[in-house]
Amino acid sequence: MIPLAWLLALSGAVFVIGVIGVLVRRNALIIFMSIELMLNAANLAFVAFARELRSLDGQIFVFFVMTVAAAEVAIGLAIIVHLFRLRETVFVDEIHLLKG
Amino acid sequence: MIPFLFVAFAALLVGCSLMVILHKNPVTSALFLVLAFCSLAGIYLLLHAEFVAMVQVIVYAGAIMVLFLFVIMYLNLKRDVEHGVHIALRRGAGWILGALLLAEGGLMLARRWAPGPTSTEADLSAPVGNTLAIGQSLYTRYLFPFEVTSILLLVAMVGAVVIAKGRGPGVHREPPAGASGATRGPAHPPGSE
């Protein structure tokens, strides 16, 4: 039996790694991967609490989170492909179309 | 045994996550992300969330990462310069991992021929996984969110196609109209003039 605290610590660690990746990296693809890491950390917390509460609802929420993540990746990668065609770069600090 | 496995999977997960954000090459980052997802699936298995573990491997490590790798290779980014030490290290790690795999295969083969403890009937008939319970809950209590999810996926698919197609030079060219006009070209000018 794995203690809940370990699982939450692991989830928090992965989430923090994802946040650091979003903050540090300039490549939009790596930023997307970091967002995936954060979503997975949330999923891990869901499953951990589902096990702790003896309930299946947490695992069903994981299902929905995965669906949203798949939709987000499809849209986001389409946007990145479009941006790359426009600006020939995926580095987010070189993409400042809204800057006057 | 289970705490040991958990610590191993957790260490793998954290290490791979760190490599995802630290590595220079996006392809390597994506492959480390696959490994991180697989180790997370292992943790789900330890938590008796078998359905989530399988969906994790199929959807995340399969579909989403294929999409990532496809886009990374489609964009054809600049790759980093390979250093000599890295090559040597990688080659050494490859040999070691290959030897480990070989040893593991030999071990399994040896165990198979050895008279091991036979699995009892109770173990075989024990319920494996919670897919049935999740399916029942998903199609009764969570039916409406489930259907909304399918609409969300449809909208995402249409949106991805529309965005990625873009307003490139393909719109101005209009190949079908130009092609039909070209074939009908010899017959058309006499009629118009």
Side-chain angles (χ1 to χ4, degrees), chain B residues 47-124:
Chain B
L47 293 177
H48 295 289
E50 291 88 359
F51 174 74
V52 174
M54 287 306 115
V55 172
Q56 172 88 10
V57 169
I58 293 171
V59 174
Y60 264 115
I64 290 181
M65 294 319 296
V66 165
L67 206 58
F68 260 110
L69 283 173
F70 180 77
V71 169
I72 289 170
M73 293 176 182
Y74 174 74
L75 296 185
N76 195 14
L77 301 171
K78 301 184 290 286
R79 60 199 58 174
D80 58 341
V81 188
E82 305 245 353
H83 301 296
V85 182
H86 279 246
I87 294 278
L89 261 180
R90 214 171 291 167
R91 200 166 291 164
W95 277 110
I96 291 172
L97 284 179
L100 272 179
L101 187 64
L102 193 67
E104 190 185 339
L107 205 65
M108 292 311 286
L109 212 61
R111 275 190 64 147
R112 185 169 171 78
W113 295 109
T118 55
S119 63
T120 57
E121 298 272 327
D123 284 343
L124 287 178

Side-chain angles (χ1 to χ4, degrees), chain A residues 25 36 40 59-60 67 85, chain B residues 21 23 37 60 130 149 164:
Chain A
R25 296 302 299 260
E36 294 302 314
N40 272 279
Q59 299 190 18
I60 288 171
T67 316
R85 282 192 194 145
Chain B
I21 69 168
H23 209 277
F37 287 162
Y60 264 115
N130 50 4
T149 300

Side-chain angles (χ1 to χ4, degrees), chain A residues 1-3 6-7 10 13-14 17-18 20-22 24-25 27 29-30 32-34 36-37 39-41 43-44 47-48 51 56-57 59-75 77-82 84-85 90-91, chain B residues 2-3 6-7 10 13-14 17-18 20-24 26 29-30 33 37 40 43-44 46-49 51-52 55-56 60 64 67-68 71-72 74-75 77-78 130 133-134 137-138 141-142 145-146 149 152-153 156 159-160 163-167:
Chain A
M1 196 71 174
I2 306 161
W6 291 14
L7 292 166
L10 179 63
V14 175
I17 290 172
I20 292 173
V22 169
V24 168
R25 296 302 299 260
N27 192 333
L29 290 161
I30 306 287
F32 253 71
M33 292 181 202
S34 304
E36 294 302 314
L37 277 180
L39 285 170
N40 272 279
N43 281 349
L44 180 59
V47 172
R51 206 240 1 215
L56 272 182
D57 295 352
Q59 299 190 18
I60 288 171
F61 268 92
V62 168
F63 178 79
F64 289 131
V65 169
M66 281 182 183
T67 316
V68 172
E72 172 240 337
V73 163
I75 294 288
L77 289 179
I79 291 174
I80 288 177
V81 166
H82 199 72
F84 185 77
R85 282 192 194 145
V90 291
F91 293 130
Chain B
I2 285 185
F6 172 76
V7 170
L13 174 60
V14 171
S17 307
L18 278 175
V20 168
I21 69 168
L22 291 181
H23 209 277
K24 291 264 185 288
S29 288
L33 195 56
F37 287 162
L40 196 55
I43 292 175
Y44 288 154
L46 293 182
L47 293 177
H48 295 289
F51 174 74
V52 174
V55 172
Q56 172 88 10
Y60 264 115
I64 290 181
L67 206 58
F68 260 110
V71 169
I72 289 170
Y74 174 74
L75 296 185
L77 301 171
K78 301 184 290 286
N130 50 4
I134 283 187
S137 186
L138 204 58
R141 196 172 160 205
Y142 291 96
F146 184 72
T149 300
L152 172 75
L153 280 180
I163 291 173
K165 211 174 74 175
R167 299 182 303 276

